Amino acid sequence: MLIQVRGVVKSYVKGSETVLVLDGVDLDVDAGEWVSLMGPSGSGKTTLLNLIGGLDVPDSGSICVNDDEMVGRTNAELAAWRSRNVGYIFQLYNLLPVLDAFQNVEMPLLLTNLSRKERREHVMTALDLVGLSDRIDHYPAQLSGGQNQRVAIARAIVADPAFLLADEPTGDLDRKSAEDVLNLLQDLHTRFKKAIVMVTHDPHCAERADRLVHLEKGVIVADT
Ligand SMILES: Nc1ncnc2c1ncn2[C@@H]1O[C@H](COP(=O)(O)OP(=O)(O)OP(=O)(O)O)[C@@H](O)[C@H]1O
Ligand SMILES: [Mg+2]
């Protein structure tokens, strides 16, 4: 088992109110598995993804990755763990506008002890994989939405993580670019055995996964 989520509870405090967002979530994701996470707006999908990726911590419950418990770690430990194990893909790419494609993809590697030459090799491999070797010195503003998302995918895989977390990765793209991004995820899944947890509102995108998990009001209501 790659990811094991058990009894995870998460609430946010807004002023005097406490909002319960995840109400005891259990979820297993196998190594190399592709899971689609669907559910209404506000059901807790992004919150769950952030907890799995170590971007946030639950109030209670357990999150194990490769049998390592993530809950209870310090922020510094989580940051180091994230840089080696998790690739993140966001709806709006989250690329830095002042960096070109090469520099954006190189970012996660600056936290490692790879040499400059090794970093260059990894970055070129990742950009080649997403079909953008001829755009390495382009800035985000000089690329289309679909190309920017492919740069973001190159950044997510450059450190060779075991799993990818994607939050509505095609949400801002036209049909053709969305299809390109899904084909790329498919490729990473089948050729490189990456596990993927993908949030999507589009049933057509969700179908590409091995498994469909439905979240409603912070509870998993279907898993097929
Ligand atoms: N940092 C935060 N502080 C306070 N409340 C938050 C915070 N993050 C999320 N919430 C609340 O938690 C609930 C779930 O949010 P979440 O972003 O996980 O939903 P979602 O399923 O991803 O929705 P969407 O499909 O719209 O992206 C919402 O009611 C939201 O307002
Ligand atoms: Mg969300």
Side-chain angles (χ1 to χ4, degrees):
M1 190 62 57
L2 178 68
I3 301 167
Q4 192 171 51
V5 176
R6 285 291 175 273
V8 159
V9 174
K10 178 72 184 176
S11 50
Y12 288 111
V13 180
K14 255 192 221 155
S16 59
E17 240 184 297
T18 302
V19 185
L20 182 60
V21 178
L22 295 178
D23 190 9
V25 170
D26 298 328
L27 179 70
D28 287 340
V29 180
D30 268 328
E33 193 175 26
W34 186 354
V35 178
S36 281
L37 189 56
M38 297 190 83
S41 181
S43 56
K45 303 179 300 292
T46 296
T47 302
L48 179 58
L49 216 60
N50 289 345
L51 292 175
I52 294 173
L55 286 173
D56 202 352
V57 288
D59 302 340
S60 60
S62 153
I63 299 170
C64 287
V65 179
N66 281 323
D67 292 327
D68 272 341
E69 179 60 70
M70 292 299 127
V71 178
R73 300 219 183 174
T74 65
N75 283 340
E77 285 170 340
L78 282 177
W81 173 79
R82 273 199 310 272
S83 69
R84 279 179 281 107
N85 295 282
V86 194
Y88 245 100
I89 301 159
F90 303 89
Q91 179 175 1
L92 295 174
Y93 333 127
N94 285 18
L95 299 172
L96 289 177
V98 296
L99 301 182
D100 66 21
F102 183 96
Q103 293 166 323
N104 264 293
V105 176
E106 188 185 26
M107 283 267 290
L109 299 182
L110 299 176
L111 298 167
T112 67
N113 48 24
L114 292 177
S115 71
R116 201 186 150 86
K117 181 166 169 285
E118 289 168 324
R119 290 204 303 270
R120 183 167 185 86
E121 284 166 7
H122 281 72
V123 172
M124 293 311 291
T125 304
L127 280 170
D128 190 37
L129 229 146
V130 301
L132 288 176
S133 345
D134 57 344
R135 293 286 192 282
I136 61 170
D137 54 1
H138 283 55
Y139 290 85
Q142 300 171 323
L143 296 167
S144 70
Q147 287 170 335
N148 274 318
Q149 192 60 300
R150 278 148 61 201
V151 173
I153 292 174
R155 179 183 58 183
I157 59 174
V158 74
D160 198 23
F163 64 100
L164 300 175
L165 300 176
D167 200 349
E168 300 185 43
T170 61
D172 209 52
L173 301 177
D174 61 56
R175 183 142 209 117
K176 165 75 171 68
S177 307
E179 206 59 37
D180 288 346
V181 161
L182 287 170
N183 288 340
L184 191 52
L185 291 176
Q186 182 89 58
D187 201 34
L188 294 170
H189 172 64
T190 42
R191 272 169 69 202
F192 300 98
K193 312 286 175 234
K194 300 290 181 203
I196 303 173
V197 182
M198 175 179 79
V199 171
T200 179
H201 283 287
D202 181 353
H204 174 74
C205 293
E207 265 175 25
R208 302 285 285 258
D210 306 319
R211 213 173 116 202
L212 247 175
V213 172
H214 273 270
L215 200 61
E216 249 169 67
K217 295 186 182 147
V219 177
I220 289 177
V221 292
D223 188 339
T224 51

